[in-house]
């Protein structure tokens, strides 16, 4: 072979090796992306992906973009369709991230509207170069993992429209270059950490539509902050201290009740300002209308006062102005009167000198402004003669009305139970007294078993409506120390009423607008749901928006059950004493009675109650009470139409299906959940997943069908030490029947009750004859082969 041919052949093989090496590197990347596609259930936006796709050279698209640098993928953008359902039940976010971390060079991860569900894994910390993380519009839940603090290069964190709960931790200050933090529309709560003040690079902060409370930290040092959105929380009462470079400020629908500081008139870059639906008082800074950059201004639903004049100037670029539902008087500025279809101007429910948009009389705003001043500055003395004259005139008018009002009170005393509205800016408190009887509509829809009602309601005060002031006083204005927890049905607070009684207060913030009339049938139903084995409601409170009287929040006040959960009592409980077998039977019997009441004590029955051992509470007498039953007013507000099945896996359920959940086997769902509780009572184990149920059920079945020597008993040793053989066998048998995969094979609640009561009687009889000749307790399953027979009535 010629020398030239040899050289050519060498270069040819070298070239092939280079191709092979590059191809191998690209192949690993391709396989990782293809596995990501499979784990995402092959969404339509990835339909063009296949093993031969050249991912580093495909044309970027709004829904899918892959960016490569030096043979490694550095950016991955996958945007699904809006409203994408949750991924199937076999999806594992842990497995998904195990695959994703095989792309360690990723600097940008954008996975939006893909149906991802589960807690954000700690493996996110492996992306040491990550700069942008956007996982909005999925079904992520749990808390934000602390491992994110190690991502020192993280500049943007967006987790909008998920179900994340908990607080924003102080470690957020460990992200030195963080510029965008957006967590809107989740279930985050608590105060905003002061550590946010140290994020010098922060440009966008969006915490809208959560459950944050307290004052906003002093952000005046954040000179780069341009967008601050805090709408739909419980911030307040003070207007936040802010830097002057803000472009967007949204404080809508909170609890701010201070004056609007004059400094805001110097926010020359401000384009959008929304402070509506709060309780702001004092003069309205009319100079806001002429800010050089302002395009959108909304101050509606407050108690801002002051005189407007026709010659006030406005920014010519104003597109939206809403001054409605305040205490403004004078003349509407001429600059707001425009025939332009592109400009929206609203100013109704003020006291302006105009015949349009429903204005109050002039005196209304004066009196209301005076009342606001008295309420916010207790015992403040008048400083001008005009205020004295107005006050004396008002008092004189009130005195003149006292006699007439006294006479009217005598005439209407018998009608004091009629609905009354207590206005409270910007929301009002609606307190309607429930009728003492059952309305005709409910009589036609539901027949209550009156005797069960009477027996179940013993020992509880009459159901009533509460005022918001009562609840704020009971919880020290919903202080964090009174906070007990939260879930899909809102936040729970512990409160002490004026008579010293303890209550549990559930606060439900509504996502959609409804009138109080929409909820009255539900409230009427709740007031009747009283039973010894239910955590019963003592009353309710509606808080409403001032502008349209729609309900913003519902408070349901429950009896407080002090002795912890049934789960904790198996492992020691509040008192440190583990429940005996007899006490466990008693608790299980109480749960069964509560289920029977929910199913048959009212027609139509209440089903699918998501029964869990952690939702069963014990009172001071160790009486078991169900705390998680399916109140319609709560379930109708579950956002994203996500339900939790008994394994904790989210399921997509349509509104129609959710609204018509009653089927022939609805009661069998509660029977299965009851079986899981029995399984935990027998074994003492905490059972979280469906696989655990199947495994422990199989062990229990095996232990009652073979000798103890053949299979290790799964029964809790604390139970084995003090229980009757026959009693344990009876409970184990009914437990296994409740856990039947086929709903039709599960027993009725009446059958369950009979067996539980039989087991209790056997256990009681056994107490006097429970020791063997050597004085040691008889152990069930000892040298005994138990037959799987069913105790029938």
């Amino acid at each position: 072979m010629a020398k030239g041919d040899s050289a050519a052949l060498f270069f040819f093989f070298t070239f092939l090796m280079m191709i092979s090496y590059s191809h191998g590197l690209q192949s690993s990347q391709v396989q990782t992306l293809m596995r990501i596609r499979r784990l995402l259930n092959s969404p339509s936006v990835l339909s063009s992906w296949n093993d031969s796709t050249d991912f580093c050279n495909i044309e970027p698209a709004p829904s899918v973009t892959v960016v490569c640098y030096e043979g490694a993928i550095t950016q991955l953008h996958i945007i699904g369709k809006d409203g994408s359902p949750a991924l199937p039940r076999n999806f594992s976010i842990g497995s998904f991230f195990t695959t994703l971390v095989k792309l360690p060079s990723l600097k940008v991860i954008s996975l939006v509207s893909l149906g991802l569900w589960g807690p954000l894994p700690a493996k996110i910390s492996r992306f040491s170069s990550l700069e942008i993380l956007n996982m909005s519009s999925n079904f992520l839940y749990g808390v934000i993992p602390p491992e994110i603090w190690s991502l020192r290069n993280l500049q943007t964190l967006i987790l909008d429209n998920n179900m994340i709960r908990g607080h924003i931790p102080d470690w957020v200050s460990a992200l030195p270059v963080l510029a965008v933090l957006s967590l809107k529309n989740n279930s985050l709560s608590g105060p905003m950490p002061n550590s946010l003040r140290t994020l010098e690079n922060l440009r966008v902060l969006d915490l809208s539509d959560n459950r944050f409370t307290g004052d906003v930290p002093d952000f005046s040092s954040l000179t780069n902050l341009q967008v601050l959105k805090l709408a739909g929380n419980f911030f307040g009462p003070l207007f936040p201290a802010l830097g002057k470079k803000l472009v967007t400020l949204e404080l809508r629908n909170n609890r701010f009740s201070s004056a609007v500081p004059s400094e805001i008139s110097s926010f020359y870059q401000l384009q959008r300002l929304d402070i509506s639906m709060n309780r702001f008082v004092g003069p309205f800074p009319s100079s806001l209308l002429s800010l050089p950059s302002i395009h959108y201004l909304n101050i509606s639903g407050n108690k801002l006062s002051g005189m407007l004049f026709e010659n006030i100037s406005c920014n010519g670029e104003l597109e939206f102005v809403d001054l409605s539902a305040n205490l403004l008087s004078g003349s509407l500025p001429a600059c707001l009167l425009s025939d332009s279809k592109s400009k929206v101007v609203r100013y109704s429910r003020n006291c302006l000198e105009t015949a349009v948009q429903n204005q109050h009389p002039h005196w209304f705003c004066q009196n209301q402004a005076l009342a606001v001043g008295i309420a916010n500055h207790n015992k403040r003395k008048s400083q001008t003669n005009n205020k004295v004259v107005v006050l004396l005139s008002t008092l004189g008018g009130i005195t003149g009305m006292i006699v007439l009002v006294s006479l009217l009170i005598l005439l209407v005393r018998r009608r004091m139970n009629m609905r009354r509205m207590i206005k409270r800016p910007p929301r009002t408190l609606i307190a309607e007294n429930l009728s003492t009887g059952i309305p005709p509509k409910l009589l036609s829809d539901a027949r209550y078993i009156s005797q069960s009602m009477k027996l179940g309601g013993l020992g509880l005060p009459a159901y009533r409506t509460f005022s918001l002031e009562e609840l704020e006083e009971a919880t020290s204005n919903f202080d964090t120390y009174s906070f007990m927890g939260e879930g899909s049905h809102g936040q729970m607070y512990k409160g002490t009423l004026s008579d010293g009684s303890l209550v549990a207060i559930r606060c439900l913030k509504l996502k959609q607008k409804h009138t109080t009339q929409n909820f009255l049938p539900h409230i009427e139903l709740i007031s009747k749901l009283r039973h010894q084995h239910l955590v019963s409601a003592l009353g309710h409170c509606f808080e409403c928006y001032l502008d349209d009287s729609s309900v913003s929040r519902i408070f349901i006040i429950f009896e407080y059950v002090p002795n912890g959960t049934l789960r904790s009592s198996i492992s020691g409980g509040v008192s440190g004493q583990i429940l005996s077998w007899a006490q466990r039977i008693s608790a299980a019997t109480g749960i069964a009675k509560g289920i029977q009441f929910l199913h048959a004590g009212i027609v139509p029955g209440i089903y699918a109650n998501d029964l869990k051992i952690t939702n069963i509470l014990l009172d001071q007498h160790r009486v078991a009470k169900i705390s998680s039953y399916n109140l319609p007013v709560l379930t109708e507000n579950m956002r994203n139409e996500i339900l939790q099945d008994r394994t904790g896996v989210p399921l997509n359920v349509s509104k129609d299906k959710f609204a018509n959940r009653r089927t022939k086997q609805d009661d069998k769902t509660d029977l299965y959940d009851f079986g899981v509780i029995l399984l935990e009572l027998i074994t003492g184990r905490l059972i979280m997943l469906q696989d655990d149920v199947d495994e422990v059920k199989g062990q229990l079945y095996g232990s009652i069908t073979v000798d103890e020597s053949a299979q290790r008993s799964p029964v809790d040793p604390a139970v084995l030490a003090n229980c009757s053989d026959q009693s344990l066998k009876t409970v184990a048998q009914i437990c296994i029947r409740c856990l039947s995969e086929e709903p039709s094979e599960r027993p009725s609640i009446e059958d369950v009750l009979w067996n539980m009561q039989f087991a209790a009687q056997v256990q009681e009889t056994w107490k006097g004859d429970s020791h063997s000749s050597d004085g040691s307790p008889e152990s069930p399953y000892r040298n005994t082969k138990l037959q799987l027979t069913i105790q029938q009535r």
Side-chain angles (χ1 to χ4, degrees):
M1 182 180 293
K3 185 176 182 180
D5 293 337
S6 299
L9 191 61
F10 171 80
F11 285 114
F12 176 74
F13 280 108
T14 302
F15 178 74
L16 287 179
M17 290 177 64
M18 293 176 61
I19 292 177
S20 178
Y21 177 77
S22 300
H23 179 71
L25 185 66
Q26 181 67 19
S27 177
S28 65
Q29 303 275 309
V30 169
Q31 293 306 313
T32 298
L33 290 176
M34 293 306 296
R35 178 166 174 77
I36 288 174
R37 177 178 181 268
R38 290 193 298 272
L39 291 173
L40 293 176
N41 204 28
S42 300
S44 58
V45 294
L46 303 182
S47 59
S48 62
W49 282 14
N50 56 59
D51 293 333
S52 61
T53 302
D54 185 0
F55 289 99
C56 292
N57 291 303
I58 58 176
E59 189 72 22
S63 56
V64 181
T65 299
V66 178
V67 178
C68 303
Y69 179 73
E70 294 184 348
I73 297 175
T74 57
Q75 296 188 31
L76 179 61
H77 304 258
I78 307 176
I79 315 297
K81 296 181 179 179
D82 290 341
S84 295
L87 289 170
R89 296 166 60 179
N90 60 357
F91 171 78
S92 169
I93 197 166
S95 298
F96 178 79
F97 266 82
T98 298
T99 301
L100 194 62
V101 296
K102 293 180 180 179
L103 304 175
S105 299
L106 281 174
K107 293 178 179 292
V108 178
I109 299 175
S110 184
L111 304 170
V112 179
S113 298
L114 296 174
L116 301 171
W117 61 265
L120 194 60
K123 293 177 183 177
I124 190 71
S125 62
R126 298 186 185 180
F127 294 103
S128 57
S129 301
L130 192 63
E131 298 177 359
I132 297 175
L133 176 63
N134 181 2
M135 297 185 67
S136 58
S137 300
N138 285 292
F139 301 95
L140 303 178
Y141 55 80
V143 300
I144 301 174
E147 288 77 10
I148 284 186
W149 74 269
S150 64
L151 303 177
R152 307 305 296 271
N153 297 313
L154 193 64
Q155 301 175 19
T156 297
L157 176 60
I158 304 176
L159 300 173
D160 300 340
N161 304 312
N162 283 289
M163 297 181 287
I164 298 171
R165 57 177 177 81
H167 307 322
I168 296 181
D170 285 330
W171 52 253
V172 71
S173 60
L175 303 174
V177 296
L178 189 65
V180 177
L181 177 60
S182 187
L183 305 172
K184 69 180 179 182
N185 198 18
N186 279 284
S187 297
L188 294 161
S189 60
M192 195 189 310
N194 285 322
S195 57
L196 286 171
R197 301 166 52 185
T198 64
L199 297 177
E200 298 179 355
N201 296 295
L202 194 63
R203 292 186 294 105
V204 177
L205 178 60
D206 191 346
L207 305 179
S208 304
D209 298 315
N210 281 283
R211 299 166 182 169
F212 291 108
T213 57
D215 284 324
V216 178
D218 187 341
F219 285 157
S220 56
S221 61
L222 298 182
T223 56
N224 293 310
L225 188 62
Q226 298 179 1
V227 176
L228 179 60
K229 297 183 178 182
L230 305 177
N233 284 284
F234 303 98
F235 287 120
L238 300 178
F239 194 99
L242 305 169
K244 295 183 179 181
K245 294 185 178 180
L246 276 176
V247 175
T248 297
L249 175 59
E250 294 184 1
L251 305 179
R252 179 183 67 257
N253 193 14
N254 276 282
R255 288 190 165 185
F256 295 105
S257 57
S258 64
V260 178
S262 58
E263 291 80 7
I264 198 171
S265 298
S266 61
F267 286 26
Y268 298 127
Q269 298 183 38
L270 193 62
Q271 298 179 10
R272 181 182 179 91
L273 175 62
D274 188 347
I275 61 172
S276 61
M277 307 305 296
N278 281 284
R279 304 169 184 175
F280 286 114
V281 298
F284 162 60
S286 58
S287 56
L288 292 177
L289 293 168
S290 57
L291 283 174
S293 303
I294 196 75
H295 292 165
Y296 181 104
L297 176 63
N298 190 347
I299 66 166
S300 63
N302 288 286
K303 289 293 182 180
L304 295 170
S305 57
M307 185 80 69
L308 297 182
F309 298 96
E310 192 172 349
N311 60 352
I312 289 178
S313 60
C314 302
N315 185 317
E317 302 297 323
L318 265 175
E319 299 174 352
F320 182 95
V321 179
D322 193 345
L323 311 176
S324 57
N326 279 283
L327 304 173
L328 303 174
S329 56
S331 301
L332 187 71
C335 59
L336 297 180
L337 297 174
S338 172
D339 295 332
S340 173
K341 294 182 179 180
S342 62
K343 180 181 291 188
V344 176
V345 179
R346 298 170 182 165
Y347 46 88
S348 63
R349 287 169 292 165
N350 283 285
C351 299
L352 297 171
E353 296 174 0
T354 177
V356 297
Q357 294 202 18
N358 187 23
Q359 301 296 311
H360 295 298
H362 183 70
W363 57 264
F364 175 86
C365 291
Q366 286 187 320
N367 291 346
Q368 288 290 315
L370 180 61
V372 169
I374 294 173
N376 286 274
H377 307 282
N378 191 28
K379 299 182 180 179
R380 184 179 63 182
K381 295 183 179 180
S382 300
Q383 297 180 358
T384 63
N385 291 334
N386 288 337
K387 289 185 177 179
V388 172
V389 171
V390 173
L391 178 60
L392 292 176
S393 300
T394 303
L395 293 176
I398 292 174
T399 303
M401 294 292 291
I402 287 177
V403 176
L404 178 60
V405 171
S406 299
L407 293 174
L408 291 174
I409 288 175
L410 294 176
L411 296 176
V412 301
R413 179 170 293 175
R414 293 183 180 181
R415 301 175 62 86
M416 288 298 291
N417 288 331
M418 294 179 62
R419 186 179 61 193
R420 59 185 61 171
M421 179 183 294
I422 303 173
K423 292 188 176 180
R424 179 185 179 92
R427 306 177 177 119
T428 57
L429 181 65
I430 303 294
E432 69 300 313
N433 292 324
L434 295 171
S435 59
T436 56
I438 301 173
K441 177 68 169 65
L442 285 180
L443 281 175
S444 63
D445 292 343
R447 299 177 179 87
Y448 296 88
I449 300 178
S450 59
Q451 189 61 29
S452 297
M453 294 294 179
K454 293 177 182 177
L455 293 175
L458 292 177
L460 294 175
Y463 189 95
R464 68 181 178 93
T465 52
F466 288 77
S467 69
L468 185 57
E469 288 78 5
E470 282 184 273
L471 304 186
E472 289 177 337
E473 181 179 355
T475 59
S476 299
N477 200 25
F478 296 99
D479 190 271
T480 54
Y481 291 104
S482 65
F483 181 72
M484 296 171 62
E486 63 182 323
S488 58
H489 292 325
Q491 296 173 309
M492 186 71 80
Y493 294 86
K494 179 181 178 181
T496 305
L497 300 180
S498 58
D499 62 0
S501 59
L502 295 176
V503 293
I505 303 169
R506 187 178 294 281
C507 171
L508 182 68
K509 189 173 182 180
L510 302 183
K511 297 293 183 181
Q512 296 180 346
K513 289 192 174 183
H514 298 282
T515 67
T516 56
Q517 296 297 325
N518 297 135
F519 293 109
L520 290 184
H522 296 321
I523 294 299
E524 190 76 32
L525 174 61
I526 293 172
S527 70
K528 307 300 182 183
L529 285 172
R530 293 191 161 203
H531 190 272
Q532 182 184 9
H533 296 291
L534 300 183
V535 178
S536 302
L538 306 180
H540 73 281
C541 169
F542 287 151
E543 189 179 25
C544 299
Y545 296 113
L546 180 64
D547 60 343
D548 59 3
S549 296
S550 62
V551 180
S552 61
R553 291 192 297 172
I554 298 177
F555 299 88
I556 302 180
I557 296 84
F558 293 93
E559 59 176 316
Y560 181 75
V561 183
N563 218 20
T565 68
L566 181 57
R567 172 68 255 173
S568 65
S569 293
I570 295 176
S571 57
V574 176
S575 64
Q577 297 180 353
I578 298 177
L579 290 182
S580 67
W581 176 242
Q583 289 171 326
R584 298 188 195 198
I585 295 177
S586 176
T589 303
I591 299 169
K593 289 179 179 179
I595 296 172
Q596 184 187 45
F597 177 81
L598 291 170
H599 289 187
I602 184 170
V603 180
I606 296 179
Y607 303 89
N609 291 287
D610 191 28
L611 299 171
K612 299 176 183 176
I613 198 169
T614 52
N615 292 334
I616 307 299
L617 306 181
L618 299 180
D619 68 7
Q620 62 271 27
H621 304 297
R622 293 189 181 273
V623 173
K625 293 176 176 284
I626 302 172
S627 67
S628 62
Y629 49 95
N630 191 6
L631 293 179
V633 70
L634 300 180
T635 54
E636 284 192 2
N637 191 59
M638 291 184 71
R639 73 179 178 86
N640 295 332
E641 300 159 16
I642 296 294
L643 299 178
Q644 297 287 331
D645 74 349
R646 58 179 178 262
T647 69
V649 178
L651 301 174
N652 271 320
V653 181
S654 67
K655 288 185 177 180
D656 291 339
K657 184 176 180 181
F658 190 37
N660 299 283
R661 299 199 63 189
R662 180 66 177 104
T663 67
K664 292 181 180 180
Q665 297 177 343
D666 268 351
D667 54 338
K668 302 301 184 180
T669 300
D670 286 336
L671 265 297
Y672 187 97
D673 292 340
F674 179 75
V676 176
I677 293 174
L678 282 183
L679 200 59
E680 296 189 62
L681 289 174
I682 295 171
T683 64
R685 291 177 53 176
L686 177 61
I687 297 176
M688 299 292 292
L689 301 174
Q690 182 62 48
D691 289 344
D692 296 336
V693 175
D694 296 337
E695 178 185 355
V696 180
K697 172 188 170 184
Q699 293 174 357
L700 182 62
Y701 179 86
S703 69
I704 65 175
T705 55
V706 298
D707 292 338
E708 182 185 19
S709 59
Q711 179 169 331
R712 181 174 176 269
S713 173
V715 180
D716 187 353
V719 169
L720 286 173
N722 59 16
C723 75
S724 157
D725 182 358
Q726 184 62 43
S727 175
L728 179 58
K729 180 178 70 172
T730 301
V731 177
Q733 291 168 348
I734 202 68
C735 170
I736 292 173
R737 288 184 63 198
C738 288
L739 295 175
S740 298
E741 290 298 324
E742 181 58 44
S744 61
E745 295 178 0
R746 298 169 195 164
S748 66
I749 190 62
E750 290 75 20
D751 192 11
V752 168
L753 268 174
W754 189 91
N755 278 272
M756 296 307 302
Q757 291 165 350
F758 174 79
Q761 292 172 0
V762 171
Q763 178 66 19
E764 183 67 24
T765 304
W766 177 81
K767 286 182 179 179
D769 187 29
S770 60
H771 294 80
S772 60
S773 59
D774 63 356
S776 62
E778 177 189 358
S779 175
Y781 310 129
R782 179 174 294 164
N783 301 321
T784 302
K785 184 174 182 179
L786 302 179
Q787 300 300 321
L788 185 60
T789 57
I790 305 301
Q791 297 292 336
Q792 297 294 344
R793 190 178 305 192

